[in-house]
Amino acid sequence: GAVVSQHPSWVICKSGTSVKIECRSLDFQATTMFWYRQFPKQSLMLMATSNEGSKATYEQGVEKDKFLINHASLTLSTLTVTSAHPEDSSFYICSARDWRTGGSYEQYFGPGTRLTVT
Amino acid sequence: SQKIEQNSEALNIQEGKTATLTCNYTNYSPAYLQWYRQDPGRGPVFLLLIRENEKEKRKERLKVTFDTTLKQSLFHITASQPADSATYLCALNTGNQFYFGTGTSLTVIP
């Protein structure tokens, strides 16, 4: 149980275009999903917290107009990188909390999406 | 803001030995502290969670301790195996958000 998927697993796009990444909880309802970014040999940096049916909460320094997050249902959150630039190239990972665990703070991660902007 | 440090970037140990990884944090103690394993090009995998009122937690060959006085957690892998080679991350929660340490890359040498 507690499986999270991401699509696509990797994507290459041209500078100036937009890319959408999907995060799905496959066997549980996730009222909260998180989006992280990870650069090579660095740890995960929290970008935003996404609650179902409400606006995402962005971490300081993350441009909300550039990284659009939509959490339209209890099993799906999307991250859209708008007008992508080479410096946006990174590994994007989502995670979700499983509320079946009675308020415990375990979170389950997707496999990640490798974005390369040329 | 909370700062999380893991004591070394890389740790090499011989197969069969116990690996000990350290996670130190500043400021206030979180309600929960978690350890994750991450393999290259993959998302982290949850290993263990320990609450602030718990001193120690075990799961098979894994053991985690949590010392709120020292603001430190130790993560032990006993009888280590080459398959344990990975990067291990600690994570703390602040309300609804989670923040990760820099990670320690563990290599178990056969």
Side-chain angles (χ1 to χ4, degrees), chain B residues 1-104:
Chain B
S1 61
Q2 188 74 277
K3 188 177 179 183
I4 306 162
E5 290 184 347
Q6 294 186 241
N7 69 325
S8 59
E9 282 191 17
L11 180 65
N12 298 325
I13 64 166
Q14 207 69 37
E15 181 177 5
K17 300 291 186 183
T18 296
T20 299
L21 286 66
T22 304
C23 176
N24 294 292
Y25 59 93
T26 60
N27 300 335
Y28 56 89
S29 288
Y32 302 85
L33 187 146
Q34 304 170 55
W35 284 89
Y36 290 80
R37 168 183 173 140
Q38 186 177 25
D39 291 285
R42 301 287 189 92
V45 174
F46 171 79
L47 295 176
L48 278 170
L49 177 150
I50 187 166
R51 294 174 172 79
E52 62 179 338
N53 61 350
E54 296 176 320
K55 296 295 183 186
E56 183 179 297
K57 202 80 167 279
R58 290 175 185 263
K59 179 182 177 182
E60 299 174 351
R61 294 185 295 112
L62 308 180
K63 185 179 85 170
V64 172
T65 62
F66 192 7
D67 189 326
T68 55
T69 301
L70 293 178
K71 297 188 178 180
Q72 181 181 81
S73 174
L74 298 179
F75 177 78
H76 306 272
I77 306 175
T78 59
S80 60
Q81 304 167 1
D84 295 327
S85 299
T87 295
Y88 292 86
L89 304 165
C90 69
L92 310 179
N93 73 300
T94 301
N96 200 32
Q97 281 81 22
F98 293 81
Y99 299 95
F100 284 80
T102 49
T104 297

Side-chain angles (χ1 to χ4, degrees), chain A residues 4 8 11 22 24 52 55 64-65 67 80 105 110 117:
Chain A
V4 176
V11 58
E22 291 186 350
R24 293 181 184 273
E52 185 264 338
K55 291 184 179 180
K64 62 180 181 180
D65 294 330
F67 298 99
T80 301
Y105 285 82
V117 184

Side-chain angles (χ1 to χ4, degrees), chain A residues 70-102:
Chain A
N70 185 286
H71 193 161
S73 76
L74 286 172
T75 59
L76 174 64
S77 177
T78 60
L79 167 68
T80 301
V81 183
T82 62
S83 186
H85 289 105
E87 56 265 32
D88 297 325
S89 299
S90 187
F91 193 49
Y92 291 86
I93 310 174
C94 72
S95 72
R97 283 174 61 180
D98 182 354
W99 290 97
R100 296 175 305 177
T101 55

Side-chain angles (χ1 to χ4, degrees), chain A residues 15-53:
Chain A
S15 186
T17 61
S18 295
V19 174
K20 180 185 283 188
I21 302 170
E22 291 186 350
C23 176
R24 293 181 184 273
S25 57
L26 298 184
D27 54 357
F28 66 98
Q29 293 183 334
T31 55
T32 303
M33 288 185 171
F34 305 90
W35 286 97
Y36 295 84
R37 180 166 52 182
Q38 186 176 35
F39 293 105
K41 297 190 182 298
Q42 294 187 25
S43 190
L44 284 75
M45 296 299 295
L46 180 65
M47 298 176 65
T49 302
S50 166
N51 292 298
E52 185 264 338

